[in-house]
Amino acid sequence: MGLSFSLCQKANGFPPDKSLKSKKQKQHQRIRKEKPQQHNFTHRLLAAALKSHSGNISCMDFSSNGKYLATCADDRTVRIWSTKDFLQREHRSLRANVELDHATLVRFSPDCRAFIVWLANGDTLRVFKMTKREDGGYTFTANPEDFPKKHKAPVINIGIADTGKFIMTVSSDTTILIWNLKGHVLSTINTNQMNNTYAAISPCSRFVASCGFTPDVKVWEVCFGKKGDFQEVVRAFELKGHSAAVHFFAFSNDSRRMASVSKDGTWKLWDTDVEYKKQQDPYLLRTGCFEEASTMLCRLALSPDAQVLALASGSSIHLYNTRRGEKEECFEQVHGECITDLSFDITGRLLASCGDRAVRLFHNTPGHRAVVEEMQGLLKRASNESTRQRLQQQLTQAQEALRSLGALKK
């Protein structure tokens, strides 16, 4: 470091001024530090890159109405992006500042008028209200009081039920807390999994599931009375079939399918639309190989229609067709750091990932191909003309999408 500086100074005709040296050294160190994070990535299926954060993005969430994407980073901001700009040249975002702290996790409220964050230093939940201004913009106001501190270990995920009835927080020990929206704990779940690696609320809001050190995914039902009053949390069912710890799982949009990925080097797709109260177990629909999972932590995302599974390990993403279990796309070195979050948008047409300062959005070609396959199969069996027309329309749309992306198989 010192040598390069003395060379610089001589070349520029500077006297070897000590104060200048330390000042320049600091600048140089700053530049050195920031350069690797400007990670460049190109791919024919890259739809957009959202770049407004000055820090690494740790979490993102699509709003239930499909209009927004929230991202949080260690630059002390949460950004709200408009999804309708994704395929435009400019990507607008609104900034909410997280005072004297930064958010590690972010989730939209079901009505999309608020969001919750987990504070890195405060170790607690904060609620932000979104108020629309007359000029069409938004003002973000944090609730005066944060949630009380209840977890003893680091929190690894948070969620809000789509019904708006409860919030879930999960920590890396064996604790899941169920809260009401005012910050009172309704129930504490001990997962008995030695440690938790992930937990989430199902899109239907009935279930909370968790995975960890054990080879299963455990699912509980969060029960409310007819008047909306909380009653109890009861064990519902388990996904059993992996032979090692489960890294991650996800629900399909209708909560009838789940996918899991394990240290045993496999991913599995499950039919969870079962009568568990009659002791019916979920059905295993498909097992696929994913060697990377045996040596490193993995994340997964399941497309809303459960036709496509996205798996992330390190800074790479692999897309599988769940019907055949085949890998269809692979994106290598997508981010300058390990991927921290992975999610399909609510249409299932785009897959979003983050892991450095940018969110990258990909066209979901396996999803369009799955629609083509499904419609071709249904057309053969269609009995009336109106059904045929509707199926033909969906088939044509999917084929057009693939053609425009240069991904239509001859």
Side-chain angles (χ1 to χ4, degrees), residues 118 123 150-156 170-175:
W118 187 261
D123 279 335
K150 296 284 183 185
H151 282 281
K152 293 182 174 69
V155 162
I156 53 174
V170 54
S171 48
S172 60
D173 49 13
T174 59
T175 310

Short mmCIF file of all heavy atoms in Angstrom, two decimals, residues 118 123 150-156 170-175:
data_model
loop_
_atom_site.label_atom_id
_atom_site.label_comp_id
_atom_site.label_asym_id
_atom_site.label_seq_id
_atom_site.Cartn_x
_atom_site.Cartn_y
_atom_site.Cartn_z
N TRP A 118 -37.35 -5.69 10.83
CA TRP A 118 -36.60 -6.15 11.99
C TRP A 118 -35.34 -5.30 12.08
O TRP A 118 -34.61 -5.15 11.10
CB TRP A 118 -36.24 -7.63 11.88
CG TRP A 118 -35.61 -8.11 13.16
CD1 TRP A 118 -34.29 -8.26 13.43
CD2 TRP A 118 -36.31 -8.44 14.38
NE1 TRP A 118 -34.10 -8.66 14.74
CE2 TRP A 118 -35.32 -8.79 15.33
CE3 TRP A 118 -37.65 -8.49 14.75
CZ2 TRP A 118 -35.65 -9.18 16.63
CZ3 TRP A 118 -37.97 -8.88 16.05
CH2 TRP A 118 -36.98 -9.22 16.97
N ASP A 123 -32.81 -5.19 17.76
CA ASP A 123 -33.34 -6.54 17.99
C ASP A 123 -34.84 -6.53 18.24
O ASP A 123 -35.32 -7.18 19.17
CB ASP A 123 -32.65 -7.20 19.20
CG ASP A 123 -31.31 -7.78 18.81
OD1 ASP A 123 -31.14 -8.10 17.62
OD2 ASP A 123 -30.43 -7.90 19.67
N LYS A 150 -38.24 -9.83 22.91
CA LYS A 150 -38.61 -11.11 23.51
C LYS A 150 -37.66 -12.24 23.12
O LYS A 150 -37.58 -13.25 23.81
CB LYS A 150 -40.04 -11.51 23.08
CG LYS A 150 -41.13 -10.57 23.58
CD LYS A 150 -41.42 -10.78 25.04
CE LYS A 150 -42.56 -9.87 25.52
NZ LYS A 150 -42.79 -9.96 26.96
N HIS A 151 -36.98 -12.13 21.97
CA HIS A 151 -36.12 -13.22 21.51
C HIS A 151 -34.77 -13.19 22.21
O HIS A 151 -34.22 -12.12 22.49
CB HIS A 151 -35.91 -13.12 20.00
CG HIS A 151 -37.08 -13.61 19.20
ND1 HIS A 151 -37.34 -14.95 18.99
CD2 HIS A 151 -38.07 -12.93 18.55
CE1 HIS A 151 -38.44 -15.07 18.25
NE2 HIS A 151 -38.90 -13.86 17.97
N LYS A 152 -34.23 -14.38 22.46
CA LYS A 152 -32.91 -14.47 23.11
C LYS A 152 -31.80 -14.75 22.09
O LYS A 152 -30.64 -14.63 22.39
CB LYS A 152 -32.93 -15.59 24.16
CG LYS A 152 -33.85 -15.27 25.34
CD LYS A 152 -33.80 -16.38 26.39
CE LYS A 152 -34.59 -16.01 27.63
NZ LYS A 152 -36.04 -15.97 27.40
N ALA A 153 -32.18 -15.16 20.89
CA ALA A 153 -31.19 -15.45 19.82
C ALA A 153 -31.51 -14.58 18.60
O ALA A 153 -32.60 -14.01 18.51
CB ALA A 153 -31.26 -16.94 19.48
N PRO A 154 -30.58 -14.48 17.65
CA PRO A 154 -30.83 -13.64 16.48
C PRO A 154 -32.07 -14.06 15.68
O PRO A 154 -32.31 -15.26 15.50
CB PRO A 154 -29.57 -13.84 15.62
CG PRO A 154 -28.53 -14.30 16.57
CD PRO A 154 -29.23 -15.08 17.63
N VAL A 155 -32.85 -13.08 15.24
CA VAL A 155 -34.06 -13.37 14.48
C VAL A 155 -33.70 -13.57 13.01
O VAL A 155 -32.95 -12.79 12.42
CB VAL A 155 -35.10 -12.24 14.67
CG1 VAL A 155 -36.17 -12.25 13.59
CG2 VAL A 155 -35.75 -12.40 16.04
N ILE A 156 -34.24 -14.66 12.41
CA ILE A 156 -33.87 -15.02 11.03
C ILE A 156 -35.00 -14.80 10.03
O ILE A 156 -34.76 -14.77 8.84
CB ILE A 156 -33.36 -16.48 10.96
CG1 ILE A 156 -34.38 -17.45 11.60
CG2 ILE A 156 -31.99 -16.60 11.62
CD1 ILE A 156 -34.03 -18.92 11.45
N VAL A 170 -39.16 -15.49 14.06
CA VAL A 170 -38.47 -16.75 14.39
C VAL A 170 -37.00 -16.46 14.61
O VAL A 170 -36.39 -15.68 13.89
CB VAL A 170 -38.67 -17.81 13.27
CG1 VAL A 170 -38.24 -17.25 11.90
CG2 VAL A 170 -37.88 -19.09 13.57
N SER A 171 -36.42 -17.08 15.65
CA SER A 171 -35.00 -16.88 15.93
C SER A 171 -34.22 -18.17 15.70
O SER A 171 -34.81 -19.24 15.53
CB SER A 171 -34.80 -16.36 17.35
OG SER A 171 -35.53 -17.12 18.27
N SER A 172 -32.89 -18.04 15.68
CA SER A 172 -32.03 -19.18 15.32
C SER A 172 -31.93 -20.25 16.41
O SER A 172 -31.31 -21.28 16.19
CB SER A 172 -30.64 -18.68 14.95
OG SER A 172 -30.08 -18.02 16.08
N ASP A 173 -32.53 -20.00 17.58
CA ASP A 173 -32.60 -21.09 18.56
C ASP A 173 -33.78 -21.99 18.15
O ASP A 173 -33.85 -22.42 17.02
CB ASP A 173 -32.71 -20.57 20.00
CG ASP A 173 -33.80 -19.50 20.18
OD1 ASP A 173 -34.63 -19.33 19.28
OD2 ASP A 173 -33.80 -18.84 21.24
N THR A 174 -34.72 -22.27 19.01
CA THR A 174 -35.86 -23.11 18.60
C THR A 174 -37.19 -22.36 18.81
O THR A 174 -38.23 -22.98 18.95
CB THR A 174 -35.89 -24.43 19.39
OG1 THR A 174 -36.00 -24.12 20.79
CG2 THR A 174 -34.63 -25.25 19.16
N THR A 175 -37.12 -21.03 18.83
CA THR A 175 -38.30 -20.24 19.20
C THR A 175 -38.98 -19.59 18.01
O THR A 175 -38.34 -18.96 17.17
CB THR A 175 -37.89 -19.12 20.19
OG1 THR A 175 -37.12 -19.70 21.24
CG2 THR A 175 -39.10 -18.42 20.78
#
